Amino acid sequence: MQAPTTTSMEIQFTTRIFKEGRTFVAHALELDVSSCGGTKAKAVSNLKEAVRLFVEEAEKMGTLEQILEEAGYRKGKKLAPPKFISVQRMTLPLPPLTHAKA
């Protein structure tokens, strides 16, 4: 009896990196997975590991296909994320909030 064969795939995702104090935070937008590190490179490295673990765990739980579909991924040799048309910072005036702290 032969062992089951596995097909190697790649997943693409868009990463935004920002700082919170002295810590760099890397966030995979389509998957809503984040990680951090003391440097930008370490945050990105940690994010790649977090995404890998997230995908592996979702596969074990049987929810990976649903997660990827809801995030807009298309199947192929590479799991391609949805194409962003625009990414921009927006401002929206809000009414006075009684419980918000500035």
Side-chain angles (χ1 to χ4, degrees):
M1 183 173 185
Q2 288 184 327
T5 58
T6 57
T7 305
S8 179
M9 282 187 112
E10 292 181 349
I11 187 167
Q12 297 176 338
F13 52 91
T14 307
T15 305
R16 73 176 175 145
I17 301 165
F18 56 95
K19 281 187 85 173
E20 286 186 350
R22 298 171 90 179
T23 303
F24 289 84
V25 178
H27 177 235
L29 296 173
E30 298 86 356
L31 300 169
D32 197 22
V33 174
S34 298
S35 195
C36 61
T39 65
K40 178 181 170 185
K42 187 62 177 169
V44 169
S45 174
N46 289 344
L47 177 63
K48 287 179 180 179
E49 179 68 5
V51 167
R52 186 184 65 75
L53 292 170
F54 173 79
V55 168
E56 285 178 5
E57 193 59 30
E59 174 68 20
K60 286 179 192 173
M61 294 174 61
T63 58
L64 181 59
E65 274 194 46
Q66 180 182 352
I67 290 168
L68 295 176
E69 183 180 311
E70 288 175 4
Y73 277 85
R74 295 177 317 282
K75 289 184 182 179
K77 190 162 188 165
K78 289 184 181 180
L79 292 170
K83 294 183 183 197
F84 287 121
I85 304 301
S86 169
V87 176
Q88 62 190 43
R89 185 177 302 268
M90 297 186 153
T91 302
L92 173 68
L94 297 173
L97 304 174
T98 59
H99 298 290
K101 294 181 181 178

